[in-house]
Amino acid sequence: LFSLSSWTSVVNEVTAEMMIEKMRLKSDRALSLQQLACCGSHCCMPVHGKDLMVYDHLDRQKEPLLLTGHHRDVSAMTFGHGNILLLCSASADYIVVWDIELCKQKVQQGKVADGIIIGKLLGEVVHLSFCYADERVAVCSGATIYILSSKQQQVILTLTGYLGALTSAEFCPWDPDILVSTSEDRMFRILCFPSVLVYFPKTLKLFLYNFCSSTCLKSMHSFCTTNVFVALCFINHFTKGGIKEQPLVFNSKVKSSGYSSSPQGGSRRRKKDRSGLCKSPEVSIPIKVNEAATVFMFLPLPLCAGHDKPVSSVNWSLSRQWWLSASDDLSLRVWTHCSSEPAIVMGNNAFSKPIRGAQFYYLDKFILLSSGPSLQLYLYHVDDTHDDIKRYQQRSVIKQGRCFQTTSATEITTFSAINDFFSYIVLVCGANRSVQVFDINRGKVACEIPDAHTRAVHCIAQNKGSAFSHQAPDSSNIFLTSAVTDGVKIWDLRTLRCVRRYENHLIRSHPCSSAISPCGRLIATGSEDNCAYVYDIRSSSFLHKLHKHSDTVLSVAFNPAIPEVRRTYCI
């Protein structure tokens, strides 16, 4: 079924969005993996594989327009953006551009509607895109992008060098000379016509910052994608020299990780007013546009209080609009950015045992948490509107979706799941020293590693990568575990075997955490000798021993955008 729908906002006690169906069309074959075409006045779908049927959804009484001409099955189609409505369709034999109004006139005159062939034998096409002037068409076929003229059979440019198959390519709305492409190698690339091809994020001076505020710098263009507010800063020209490239890893012997060398984060500072009380701290984030200009934005960080016992877990949403905290007081709270009051409070005997871990999951679709031997999945809706009269009434909603139990009902000590992309794998560590691999789709344990350590695992970390770095597709099969007196182990999810151990650091009694770098080549871990250690993932010996701590280093984390490590220690 091909369904044409529209979104409307319905405001009741809980703000929600509802989709209203306007048209439903039935196809003779599955269309879930094909690019279908739809615009403000028309929609198009393939018929019998090789033909196209164009529907006018503004006037449903009109007969649909049948377009024939392809000799093989149509795999992608898209409408143009101009006043003259153009449709581009692609199959393995032809790329055809149709003038819809001209085709209608020919059909009314009893003639056969035809289009302009702009490409031949370009392979299996998965995605098409017009530039906003409808002068060029981007064609994604395999690991190649073809830039074609929309008026004649001419290949303007051919782009190759992708490590995986392309999934989409779109022209920039405000600049027709910029093209953004995505591929299955988990990388997006930016092309600036006519001669400069830029791979994000090393050579293009483009910076992404996740702000929940709708305010954007004047020099930035903003757009929303998958509920993540992204600010893009495009430089009008690309300089070949003058900007010093810095090493992107901690050691020059290690191959560069490839994630951005944007400047270090700003400082935190507290100000006092005339009464002597400290105001909320502010964070300055430097955004380096070029060597001569640096812009600072100050984001207030309010003090968030409410838990009655120590906080056991905190986690940011992928969109950076919300964050959650879990505590030993058997409660979980979801906070909106820059707000000192929680939007969601879960407590009131909702959990029988303390929450050992909680995080956003599946691109912020769910909240995943562990309590006792159960792994719980929650659907939620955050309402950040304010009502001064009913300010204590919780307008947000959270509801349990599924609850999974570990084998032998062993209590969960920690778990790890990927939120940066769609993944149905959750790694769970139990008090019986096992590591269990949950398949969320099937709702059960897929496999188990018994006796992973000599003691219960207190830290598990997956190779999640970063939006600022690129890794091979198979790199997400690597994860690490850490246990007291048993060091750090690296595992391969495909074989469920330990492939390397790291034991130069000291963990005798404190649960010091570990982390994998965004480039996937480094491991950082805390230690009880008042240092943090950085290992090369390919060698059991450490690269760096970071000093200047006065007590045990309990937690470490890599910056996702720039090559630095954050550490916390006992006070």
Side-chain angles (χ1 to χ4, degrees), residues 104-227:
K104 288 182 178 179
Q105 294 176 9
K106 289 185 177 181
V107 171
Q108 291 175 358
Q109 296 171 4
K111 300 179 181 179
V112 178
D114 57 356
I116 302 174
I117 298 177
I118 63 173
K120 291 182 180 181
L121 303 177
L122 298 183
E124 191 69 23
V125 178
V126 297
H127 193 272
L128 296 170
S129 174
F130 276 99
C131 71
Y132 275 73
D134 289 349
E135 296 177 351
R136 291 176 288 202
V137 178
V139 180
C140 298
S141 176
T144 305
I145 297 180
Y146 300 93
I147 307 299
L148 308 180
S149 171
S150 62
K151 300 179 181 179
Q152 57 185 342
Q153 186 175 340
Q154 178 187 2
V155 179
I156 301 174
L157 191 62
T158 301
L159 306 176
T160 59
Y162 290 87
L163 300 180
L166 285 150
T167 56
S168 64
E170 292 287 343
F171 286 93
C172 178
W174 57 84
D175 192 339
D177 293 334
I178 293 179
L179 180 75
V180 180
S181 65
T182 61
S183 56
E184 291 183 356
D185 56 4
R186 295 177 58 194
M187 173 180 281
F188 72 86
R189 309 187 183 194
I190 299 176
L191 167 72
C192 180
F193 294 110
S195 60
V196 181
L197 177 62
V198 183
Y199 294 82
F200 176 79
K202 188 175 180 181
T203 57
L204 176 64
K205 295 305 168 183
L206 173 142
F207 301 90
L208 288 90
Y209 292 92
N210 292 318
F211 297 117
C212 64
S213 172
S214 59
T215 304
C216 189
L217 294 179
K218 293 182 179 180
S219 61
M220 290 187 177
H221 301 282
S222 62
F223 60 90
C224 290
T225 171
T226 62
N227 297 328

Side-chain angles (χ1 to χ4, degrees), residues 270-316:
R270 299 182 68 90
K271 297 181 178 180
K272 291 185 178 182
D273 56 14
R274 295 182 179 179
S275 62
L277 298 177
C278 291
K279 296 182 179 180
S280 297
E282 293 180 337
V283 175
S284 60
I285 302 178
I287 303 175
K288 189 172 183 180
V289 179
N290 51 44
E291 287 191 330
T294 302
V295 180
F296 290 89
M297 295 185 66
F298 293 91
L299 304 179
L301 296 180
L303 178 64
C304 301
H307 290 291
D308 298 328
K309 291 185 178 180
V311 175
S312 60
S313 177
V314 291
N315 182 253
W316 275 100

Side-chain angles (χ1 to χ4, degrees), residues 5 14-15 19 26 58 65-67 71 89 94 223 236-237 339 345 349 395 419 423 445 455 457-458 485 535 542 564:
S5 308
V14 178
T15 302
M19 181 181 291
K26 189 174 183 180
L58 297 181
L65 175 63
L66 178 64
L67 302 177
H71 296 165
S89 59
Y94 298 133
F223 60 90
N236 294 328
H237 60 279
S339 176
V345 178
N349 301 322
R395 299 167 61 88
N419 186 38
S423 173
V445 176
R455 294 194 180 185
V457 177
H458 66 261
T485 71
Y535 291 93
F542 64 88
E564 66 178 13

Side-chain angles (χ1 to χ4, degrees), residues 531-552:
C531 298
Y533 288 75
V534 178
Y535 291 93
D536 183 354
I537 199 170
R538 300 166 295 183
S539 172
S540 298
S541 59
F542 64 88
L543 291 175
H544 292 279
K545 185 177 181 181
L546 309 179
H547 300 273
K548 297 185 179 180
H549 289 282
S550 59
D551 211 327
T552 300

